[in-house]
Amino acid sequence: MSDGAAGANGSGRAQRAPQLGGAVRRRRRSLELTLAQVADRTGLSVPFLSQIENDRARPSMRSLQRIADGLATTAVELLAAADATADAVDVVLAVEDAGLTPEAGVRPLVRGRRRLHALEFTGPHEADREFLHEGDELMYVADGAVEVEADGRVHRLDRGDTLYLPGGVRHRWRSTRPDTRLLLVAVSEPAPSAT
C-alpha cells in the first residue's frame, strides 16, 4: 500500500476543526456554572463565551487560558478534550486547524487526551503568565530565542537549546525574538489504576 492510500492527510481521517466550544461547554456544565459566572471569573463577555461554546468564534490563546483558569483546568486540557481521538497512532498535519484564532501562534502537536502533551508556539509570547505542572516538561527552541524564569533563575535559550523542568516548578517564559518557534512537551501524571 502506498503512503497516499491512507487518505489525503496520511492518517485515514478527514481533516476537521476541533470542537473547542463543545469542550468548553462540557467543562462549564460539569462544574454547574452559568455563562455569566464564567464571564465573571474570566473577564470575558457572555456573548463572546457563547460564541466560543457554539464554535462561532475562535479564542486567542490568552482568552483560552483565561477560560481554562475560570473553569479550573488548563488550556492544554481543553484543547485535548476538543479533539479527542482513540487512534493508537495519530498524525497531526501542519496544515490542520487548531481551533484557535490564526494569530494565536500555538498549535497542538499531539491530539486528544494523552499522557504526553506537545505544543508549538510561534512568534511573540509574553511572560505574563506563570505555569505550574504536575508532570515534567521540556522546552526546545527550534528557532529564535526565549527567556525562561524558573526556580528563581532566568535562563536564556537560543536556537537548538533545551530546558528541562521537573513537575512542580513554577515558571514563565517569553520569546525574545519575533521569529521564535518553541516546542513544549509535557508529561501528565498517569491516571490512577482501577484496582
Side-chain angles (χ1 to χ4, degrees):
M1 177 187 298
S2 71
D3 290 341
N9 67 5
S11 68
R13 287 191 339 171
Q15 286 187 28
R16 61 176 172 72
Q19 301 300 307
L20 188 54
V24 170
R25 183 175 40 257
R26 286 189 300 276
R27 178 65 182 175
R28 177 181 61 80
R29 287 180 176 169
S30 75
L31 297 173
E32 299 179 356
L33 295 172
T34 65
L35 280 172
Q37 289 170 314
V38 176
D40 286 343
R41 290 178 172 200
T42 62
L44 301 171
S45 72
V46 170
F48 180 59
L49 290 168
S50 176
Q51 288 179 336
I52 289 171
E53 283 195 2
N54 290 299
D55 289 314
R56 289 192 312 259
R58 293 168 177 257
S60 65
M61 191 61 180
R62 184 177 307 252
S63 292
L64 184 60
Q65 288 172 334
R66 289 168 68 181
I67 292 167
D69 289 345
L71 296 175
T73 188
T74 65
V76 170
E77 285 298 321
L78 288 175
L79 287 167
D83 200 10
T85 181
D87 297 344
V89 176
D90 191 38
V91 175
V92 178
L93 299 175
V95 297
E96 288 188 41
D97 187 343
L100 298 167
T101 62
E103 301 80 31
V106 64
R107 73 179 184 102
L109 302 176
V110 175
R111 199 183 341 247
R113 294 186 183 271
R114 309 284 186 163
R115 283 196 56 214
L116 180 83
H117 301 284
L119 298 170
E120 177 186 53
F121 291 88
T122 55
H125 183 84
E126 293 300 321
D128 56 355
R129 179 178 171 82
E130 186 175 73
F131 297 94
L132 177 65
H133 310 287
E134 291 181 21
D136 295 355
E137 184 174 311
L138 178 78
M139 294 179 170
Y140 169 73
V141 181
D143 290 302
V146 301
E147 195 172 82
V148 182
E149 182 184 331
D151 205 23
R153 294 179 53 205
V154 175
H155 307 273
R156 289 174 180 81
L157 307 175
D158 291 311
R159 183 174 187 254
D161 293 344
T162 62
L163 176 75
Y164 169 80
L165 294 165
V169 173
R170 292 185 184 279
H171 59 283
R172 63 180 71 232
W173 69 274
R174 70 181 186 92
S175 56
T176 57
R177 289 184 29 194
D179 63 340
T180 295
R181 187 166 57 103
L182 175 82
L183 304 180
L184 190 146
V185 179
V187 179
S188 300
E189 291 300 311
S193 61
T195 56

